[in-house]
Amino acid sequence: MSARSLHVSARRVLEDWPVGDARDDALRHTMLAFLAACPDGCLRSNEAGHITASSLVLDSSGQQVLLTLHPRVGRWIQLGGHCEPSDSTVVDAALREAREESGIDDLTIDPVLLSADTHPITCSLGKPTRHLDLRFLVRAPAGATAVRSEESTDLRWWPIDELPKSAEVDTITHLVGLAAAR
């Protein structure tokens, strides 16, 4: 459990990512180049940017998605956040974040990368940085009840075809489409 094991796992999931188009392939190569240049690139202390781990959490039917109203972003987004030195892999980080933010302990994660994204943000460092986000598919068991954590303004299950206006609708719809193809 270290910056090294996170780094190795981030490289591995990016190398094994079944990209769907040239844009995703270019993003994969950009992230791999970033990791080659930044041995601590999975830790938030890397001010230039850092790998983050997110989860598209679907209910057991695949018809509802769990979204958090993020206090800093001000929009409904998928669950996720920073890798921690205690995480062995980026998959572990994504699952930990999903469990912490949802209050659901028995989630299951697909270890194959679903999607990736990069975006500028002022995160917990308090300085502008860049998140290089690795996104995974997570499934909740039947009847799972989500419990909002202190990291969220609100937390709700949303029907996939009735996402709130303040959601990242295009992103979530794209991720759900990728998940349905699995």
Side-chain angles (χ1 to χ4, degrees):
M1 294 179 283
S2 67
R4 172 115 176 92
S5 69
L6 283 166
H7 192 275
V8 167
S9 73
R11 272 196 349 257
R12 187 175 307 121
V13 299
L14 284 163
E15 290 166 352
D16 294 344
W17 180 23
V19 295
D21 59 31
R23 183 179 177 277
D24 284 345
D25 194 42
L27 180 57
R28 171 195 5 224
H29 288 286
T30 299
M31 288 182 164
L32 287 168
F34 167 80
L35 287 167
C38 298
D40 291 337
C42 292
L43 300 179
R44 78 177 88 198
S45 58
N46 195 61
E47 288 186 23
H50 38 270
I51 297 289
T52 53
S54 295
S55 299
L56 176 72
V57 180
L58 297 179
D59 72 347
S60 61
S61 72
Q63 299 302 305
Q64 294 193 65
V65 60
L66 185 60
L67 300 177
T68 181
L69 182 56
H70 195 280
R72 279 198 182 100
V73 177
R75 298 182 76 180
W76 291 94
I77 62 174
Q78 76 278 352
L79 308 183
H82 291 102
C83 299
E84 300 293 342
S86 59
D87 296 320
S88 294
T89 68
V90 292
V91 174
D92 293 342
L95 186 56
R96 176 189 48 75
E97 284 286 341
R99 286 177 176 154
E100 286 176 0
E101 292 182 7
S102 73
I104 303 169
D105 290 328
D106 48 352
L107 298 171
T108 58
I109 190 166
D110 182 339
V112 176
L113 190 62
L114 181 64
S115 175
D117 183 60
T118 181
H119 49 272
I121 191 166
T122 299
C123 65
S124 58
L125 291 174
K127 299 176 185 178
T129 187
R130 181 158 291 276
H131 280 177
L132 294 96
D133 198 28
L134 303 180
R135 296 170 170 172
F136 296 90
L137 174 60
V138 171
R139 296 210 183 255
T145 301
V147 178
R148 183 183 65 83
S149 75
E150 61 188 39
E151 296 180 40
S152 176
T153 301
D154 200 355
L155 180 74
R156 289 191 209 164
W157 289 105
W158 292 92
I160 291 169
D161 58 353
E162 296 177 30
L163 298 173
K165 291 179 183 172
S166 65
E168 293 183 336
V169 175
D170 291 342
T171 298
I172 295 164
T173 303
H174 175 71
L175 292 173
V176 168
L178 293 172
R182 290 210 175 155

